[in-house]
Amino acid sequence: MTNKYVYFIANWKMFGDLKTLNSLDKVIKFSKDNKKKKFKIIYCPPSTLIRPLSKRLKKTKIEVGAQNCHESDKFGPFTGQINSQMLKNVGAKYIILGHSENRLKGDDNKKINLKIKSALKAGLKVIFCIGETLREKRNKKTKQILSKQIQVGLKSVNNNSKIIIAYEPIWSIGSGIIPKPNDLIKSISFIKSKFVKKSPKILYGGSVNPNNIDQIKNINTIDGFLIGGASQDPKKFIDIIKKTIN
Ligand code: PEP
């Protein structure tokens, strides 16, 4: 993976407060020390931390993203919701959409499509998560599920240059289990085959950690990793990056 930019996207989920941001000093130093290497770090913290984190990362190459948004691109009477314009306004440059934890709470493919379009309109780059459940995998439905997620999720999105796909098999998220490299290669190549024009960048996500990164880091069709649990520990996060880029 050394000849292209490799993405390392940290999904902090609902973890972290203002104090947690101090733990990033190590990652900032690592990023500065390795500024000539071809990798990109993007932190997606809870919405409450987007503003303070963007300020803290101002003079660095590390960027900030959000984790979800409401589908409306206008202000509206939606208590507790935040739209993509608002996230952009406080410093987000990216947004994770279609994450399985939000699909479980009602984000279906159509709603995700609306969210993607509103995020693109706001000028955010979209990290679009797709992936199958264990049952779907066992029933050999993976291709069917991925096709549908891509077809509906990206309907009327004509330009893929602001889309990054994160292939996250749901059975792998937080389970400690990663796919066999050959299966992963097949799924990534299937996803790529769905794009007639240039395919978006494709990341892998699900239980990536310093102990298993060696098994998947050399799959050259993967453009990087979306990392949940391990991204909350700066040492583990840096170890994953070091092992991949060196
Ligand atoms: C995720 O939730 O996007 C994720 C990849 O989580 P984890 O790395 O903890 O499996």
Side-chain angles (χ1 to χ4, degrees), residues 6-12 23-31 34 39-45 53 57 61-63 203-204 207-211 213 224-246:
V6 188
Y7 284 73
F8 297 91
I9 304 187
N11 175 11
W12 272 8
S23 73
L24 290 181
D25 289 349
K26 285 187 196 130
V27 182
I28 294 172
K29 181 172 182 321
F30 173 80
S31 162
N34 290 277
F39 67 95
K40 194 179 251 312
I41 298 176
I42 300 157
Y43 269 98
C44 300
L53 183 54
L57 296 177
K61 285 171 69 185
I62 304 175
E63 293 185 292
L203 316 182
Y204 166 73
S207 292
V208 174
N209 65 44
N211 299 323
I213 187 69
F225 303 96
L226 177 54
I227 304 164
S231 72
Q232 290 158 35
D233 176 337
K235 186 177 169 334
K236 285 189 186 163
F237 194 49
I238 291 171
D239 274 0
I240 293 170
I241 302 174
K242 269 191 193 160
K243 286 190 171 191
T244 308
I245 62 168
N246 288 327

Side-chain angles (χ1 to χ4, degrees), residues 121-185:
K121 195 169 166 194
L124 296 174
K125 290 185 188 152
V126 173
I127 301 148
F128 172 37
C129 301
I130 56 174
E132 79 285 0
T133 63
L134 190 55
R135 178 191 278 233
E136 289 158 350
K137 177 180 157 63
R138 287 193 176 135
N139 291 337
K140 308 223 174 316
K141 292 256 164 62
T142 300
K143 288 185 176 173
Q144 193 183 318
I145 294 296
L146 296 178
S147 288
K148 188 93 188 158
Q149 289 173 337
I150 294 169
Q151 185 206 327
V152 182
L154 294 181
K155 192 162 183 234
S156 312
V157 174
N158 300 319
N159 182 354
N160 287 330
S161 67
K162 301 274 162 38
I163 304 281
I164 296 171
I165 290 189
Y167 172 54
E168 298 208 303
I170 297 170
W171 47 272
S172 177
I173 295 178
S175 66
I177 303 167
I178 61 168
K180 294 193 187 95
N182 268 343
D183 289 345
L184 190 48
I185 291 168

Side-chain angles (χ1 to χ4, degrees), residues 48-92:
T48 49
L49 296 180
I50 291 175
R51 185 70 169 169
L53 183 54
S54 324
K55 282 190 175 168
R56 201 164 182 133
L57 296 177
K58 214 164 191 174
K59 288 192 179 133
T60 76
K61 285 171 69 185
I62 304 175
E63 293 185 292
V64 180
Q67 296 177 12
N68 200 5
C69 66
H70 189 273
E71 59 272 26
S72 171
D73 53 13
K74 301 195 177 64
F75 291 162
F78 305 113
T79 306
Q81 303 293 318
I82 305 178
N83 78 6
S84 43
Q85 294 280 358
M86 293 161 156
L87 295 164
K88 168 94 178 173
N89 189 250
V90 290

Side-chain angles (χ1 to χ4, degrees), residues 104-137:
L104 271 181
K105 288 187 305 181
D107 276 10
D108 58 16
N109 290 327
K110 278 192 180 155
K111 197 190 258 193
I112 293 164
N113 175 250
L114 294 174
K115 291 186 178 196
I116 290 178
K117 287 191 285 196
S118 82
L120 292 173
K121 195 169 166 194
L124 296 174
K125 290 185 188 152
V126 173
I127 301 148
F128 172 37
C129 301
I130 56 174
E132 79 285 0
T133 63
L134 190 55
R135 178 191 278 233
E136 289 158 350
K137 177 180 157 63

